[in-house]
Amino acid sequence: MESIFHERQEGSLCAQHCLNNLLQGEYFSPVELSSIAQQLDEEERMRMAEGGVSSEEYRTFLQQPSVNMDDSGFFSIQVISNALKVWGLELILFNSPEYQRLGIDPINEKSFICNYKEHWFTVRKLGKQWFNLNSLLMGPELISDTYLALFLAQLQQEGYSIFVVKGDLPDCEADQLLQMIRVQQVQRPKLIGEETAQSRDQRLPRSDVDQAIEVSHPFDGTSMLDEDEENFQRALALSRQEIDMEDEEADLRRAIQLSMQGSRQSEFSNSLPQNASQPPHTSQTDSPSSEDLRSRRQAYFEKQQQQLQQQDLTLNLHDKPTINSSTLEADPGGDMSEEDMLQAAMNMSLESARNHLSTEENK
């Protein structure tokens, strides 16, 4: 799009930019447009003087500023219209009843001039494509044929006045080139203000930018990324599962140990003499001492170990070796697997049952 002539905004000279972008060259300067405005002012003064130079209307007209230009560089629609007449061009109001009755599709026109308050810009067809040549943009903006009608309707809705440019525009290089090729625009041109703001932001120190972001977006815990939050929740769930598994294993070991202790206590009480089960005398000399109890318990364990060794020769439950009480006493739960622990508990229950039956037969 380098071949397209595009003047950017300078001061309030948008009328000059609008005309030059329409004609695709530096056709008008502020001096020339000011001359046209002064000529229009003089023509209006002469019409007012026809009613009498001493009239109140004439004196009021002389005291009022020009309606065709001001010191900022603004020019009226009359100035633009007279400037285009030099090139044989005419302006027609787009939404006027006269033009609407013609029923012309906007795509079949050649160019439009748009005005809102004191800003003017051109929309022109170059070759076979339409371009927004607004001087507030950093460059020409490509407008598709299907979007043109919608674009003009949107401008009207925003309060713009749209004028159709009638007549033959001067030849230009961009129009000749775009008659042969079509261009594509990857990115819409930015407004001049946007470009300036972006350049100012880039000049800011990094710390100032970070502080501005922190002020406008304070951290309240809700800015955590979804992926991080999901990983965090997954870690919590795994942690809970590990704790639950540890608790279940601890409960299982505790239950097995209590079962083994209960079976030993039952076997020990059954092996005591009959008088041991009778209520003790009140005299402390009749109750066994701690040394006696320890020696009796040791004798019982040795006897039970001998019995289990003899039973191992005849019984082989589930084709697995029987775990004797001394092994359980030495390593209750240690490195044994859960299956071995359950098997040990079953074996101890069977031992208790057999011993109980043996005791009943001895009685």
Side-chain angles (χ1 to χ4, degrees), residues 14 18 74-77 80 113-121 155 159-163:
C14 53
C18 173
F74 167 76
F75 296 98
S76 66
I77 180 62
I80 294 176
I113 287 180
C114 307
N115 167 252
Y116 179 70
K117 294 184 178 179
E118 296 183 355
H119 182 63
W120 301 89
F121 71 92
L155 290 179
Y160 276 81
S161 298
I162 302 176
F163 300 89

Side-chain angles (χ1 to χ4, degrees), residues 307-316 321-324:
Q307 292 178 356
L308 288 175
Q309 290 176 354
Q310 294 176 358
Q311 292 172 1
D312 287 343
L313 299 175
T314 58
L315 296 176
N316 187 2
T322 305
I323 301 174
N324 55 37

Side-chain angles (χ1 to χ4, degrees), residues 221-279:
T222 60
S223 61
M224 181 183 291
L225 295 176
D226 294 338
E227 184 178 357
D228 293 339
E229 184 176 359
E230 183 179 353
N231 293 335
F232 179 69
Q233 295 295 336
R234 188 182 299 112
L236 284 180
L238 291 175
S239 178
R240 294 192 191 102
Q241 291 179 2
E242 291 177 357
I243 293 174
D244 294 340
M245 291 176 63
E246 291 176 357
D247 292 342
E248 291 177 0
E249 292 177 359
D251 293 340
L252 181 60
R253 286 197 184 94
R254 194 177 299 110
I256 293 174
Q257 291 175 359
L258 291 175
S259 175
M260 291 188 294
Q261 291 176 4
S263 64
R264 290 172 188 150
Q265 291 175 359
S266 175
E267 294 170 0
F268 176 72
S269 61
N270 291 333
S271 64
L272 291 176
Q274 292 297 323
N275 58 0
S277 63
Q278 295 178 357

